Amino acid sequence: MKPRLSFWQIINMNIGFFGIQFSFGLQQSSMSPIYKYLGADEASLPYLWLAGPMTGLLVQPLIGAMSDRTVTRWGRRTPYFLIGAILCSLGLLAMPFSPTLWFAASLLWILDAANNVTMEPYRAFVSDKLDPSQHSLGFLTQSAFTGLGQTLAYLTPSLLVWAGMNKDAVNSHHIPHIVIVAFVIGAIFSISSILWTLKTTPELPLTPAELAAIRAQPAGWRHTLADVASAIREMPDTMKQLAWVKLFQWYAMFCYWQYIMLSLATTIYGSTDPASQGFRDAGLLTGQVGAFYNAVAFVGALAMVPFTRRYGPQRSHSVCLALAGVGMLLIPQIHNPLLLFIPMVGIGLAWASIMGNPYVMLAGCIPPERTGVYMGIFNMFIVIPMIIQIFTLPLYYQSLLGGNPENVIRLAGALMLCGALAVLAVKVKSADSAAPGQPAMGRASH
């Protein structure tokens, strides 16, 4: 039985997630514009986002498995998310100074690899520290910091404009100065937030039995790969069922992130020219509505804790995905910037749920000694839908979607509704089958 942590201890434990998600927020809000400034065409944008899912597919399961086997004076997970945070900060510093399209795309591979080195050991770290009865609070708090970090990432360019910076000032590659400063701020947050968590929240020491079990495992990369393969073969049923949910929701979110700015540029400002003021204004508006939905996610994740405890993560997630689906379907019909904030409420609640509730369902169905490898494999259910999206959307962007970014947003809405239905088929233990004193939604059936 692990000691129960106070709410503030759980906050300190998750502050490092703030910096990680600030980095992801900058990528979501700024990479498509940066690519367009450097000369990319709309149909090829998905290919340029390949770095994230590919590095996640390759890095996270291996890093998760390695962290399960690691024994150092600093702990099992700490070395990974510290090294990842340092590399991420360096990538963020360099990104807005990219001179060419290929340079920015290559740098994104390094940046995403660094983020992925950090991500799953961090999620395993949270699961390691918390008693199962606190899993919902721990992962939804992590989701809240996702919302907070991405809120500030999306909003930083607008805050800089409000502070007096010229929104139309650009460098020689047409990248706005406010975007450059936002990435520098992100680099500072990335490393400082991780250092705060390391200072305030040490890992739990391994017991002699745990140490002996780890040291008894064969070393080497071949055995690490074998461990990943074994975990995939022995995957719990709940995890397999969640794969379908994540297929719909992450295909949809990748569509949204890649094309929301281009959609708003046409529906609100009537512009597709990257050199125009309307296009830059669409970038600021994208940041503002993105900040708003992430702020909703920040508040919603914490407010969702009692709802999830009462009704379970399954129903909570279904409702949130449905709200996002309806919201995305409405976005192309809106021509007033102020009205855009209405569908963002649903998207924000879904984002809070996406980053929390699936992990609540997952944490109770995997063996504790293999948390790292299963968290890494679970991430494959995020990146594989992204890879599918990258290689399929360009094939029908012109023929089925008419080369219209608004239709990509409509597609995302329809897929979110499919995800809302799929999650209802995930089998989790009912309240009356849970062990006394342990919430049912944290203990999924096998």
Side-chain angles (χ1 to χ4, degrees), residues 234-254:
E234 300 164 8
M235 189 184 306
D237 289 342
T238 297
M239 198 168 169
K240 296 175 184 176
Q241 293 157 359
L242 283 168
W244 290 101
V245 180
K246 293 171 83 79
L247 171 62
F248 292 121
Q249 70 188 26
W250 285 106
Y251 196 115
M253 290 306 300
F254 230 40

Side-chain angles (χ1 to χ4, degrees), residues 2-17 122 125-131 134 137-139 141-142 145 193-194 196-204 302:
K2 299 173 185 176
R4 290 179 61 85
L5 301 186
S6 71
F7 176 72
W8 292 112
Q9 287 175 311
I10 292 175
I11 290 290
N12 281 329
M13 178 175 60
N14 281 306
I15 281 177
F17 218 67
Y122 203 114
F125 166 68
V126 172
S127 185
D128 292 341
K129 289 282 291 186
L130 294 178
D131 182 78
Q134 291 191 296
L137 178 59
F139 284 113
T141 301
Q142 198 171 81
F145 275 106
S193 62
I194 286 289
W196 177 267
T197 289
L198 295 181
K199 177 179 174 60
T200 60
T201 316
E203 291 192 51
L204 290 175
L302 296 177

Side-chain angles (χ1 to χ4, degrees), residues 259-272:
Y259 285 91
I260 183 60
M261 179 188 170
L262 303 180
S263 176
L264 296 183
T266 58
T267 57
I268 303 296
Y269 298 101
S271 174
T272 58

Side-chain angles (χ1 to χ4, degrees), residues 29 63 65 90-91 106 113-114 148 150 185 212 225 227 236 269 292 356 392 424:
S29 62
I63 292 296
L90 295 175
S106 300
L148 179 61
Q150 295 196 10
I185 292 171
L225 288 175
D227 190 26
Y269 298 101
F292 179 77
T392 58
L424 296 177

Side-chain angles (χ1 to χ4, degrees), residues 76-314:
R76 287 194 292 176
R77 320 295 184 185
T78 299
Y80 296 97
F81 53 75
L82 178 58
I83 292 171
I86 293 171
L87 294 175
C88 178
S89 293
L90 295 175
L92 289 171
L93 284 174
M95 179 62 77
F97 298 101
S98 299
T100 61
L101 182 61
W102 73 263
F103 188 94
S106 300
L107 193 56
L108 186 61
W109 281 80
I110 298 172
L111 180 58
D112 272 315
N115 272 326
N116 282 306
V117 167
T118 306
M119 182 68 71
E120 293 319 307
Y122 203 114
R123 289 198 184 277
F125 166 68
V126 172
S127 185
D128 292 341
K129 289 282 291 186
L130 294 178
D131 182 78
S133 64
Q134 291 191 296
H135 279 163
S136 59
L137 178 59
F139 284 113
L140 287 171
T141 301
Q142 198 171 81
S143 178
F145 275 106
T146 297
L148 179 61
Q150 295 196 10
T151 294
L152 292 178
Y154 274 91
L155 199 57
T156 294
S158 293
L159 292 175
L160 292 171
V161 172
W162 297 335
M165 286 190 68
N166 182 0
K167 67 182 176 66
D168 295 317
V170 299
N171 67 8
S172 58
H173 303 290
H174 307 291
I175 298 175
H177 291 170
I178 54 175
V179 173
I180 295 173
V181 175
F183 272 78
V184 173
I185 292 171
I188 296 170
F189 281 156
S190 179
I191 187 63
S192 60
S193 62
I194 286 289
L195 291 175
W196 177 267
T197 289
L198 295 181
K199 177 179 174 60
T200 60
T201 316
E203 291 192 51
L204 290 175
L206 295 171
T207 66
E210 289 172 330
L211 282 171
I214 291 173
R215 287 169 175 157
Q217 293 177 345
W221 64 269
R222 289 185 179 86
H223 296 290
T224 300
L225 288 175
D227 190 26
V228 174
S230 171
I232 291 174
R233 288 194 302 270
E234 300 164 8
M235 189 184 306
D237 289 342
T238 297
M239 198 168 169
K240 296 175 184 176
Q241 293 157 359
L242 283 168
W244 290 101
V245 180
K246 293 171 83 79
L247 171 62
F248 292 121
Q249 70 188 26
W250 285 106
Y251 196 115
M253 290 306 300
F254 230 40
C255 287
Y256 176 85
W257 290 330
Q258 290 169 0
Y259 285 91
I260 183 60
M261 179 188 170
L262 303 180
S263 176
L264 296 183
T266 58
T267 57
I268 303 296
Y269 298 101
S271 174
T272 58
D273 179 8
S276 68
Q277 180 178 340
F279 195 85
R280 290 192 293 272
D281 287 343
L284 285 174
L285 179 60
T286 300
Q288 290 160 12
V289 297
F292 179 77
Y293 89 66
N294 277 286
V296 171
F298 172 61
V299 176
L302 296 177
M304 207 177 292
V305 173
F307 188 89
T308 298
R309 283 177 172 166
R310 179 167 183 176
Y311 298 104
Q314 183 185 26

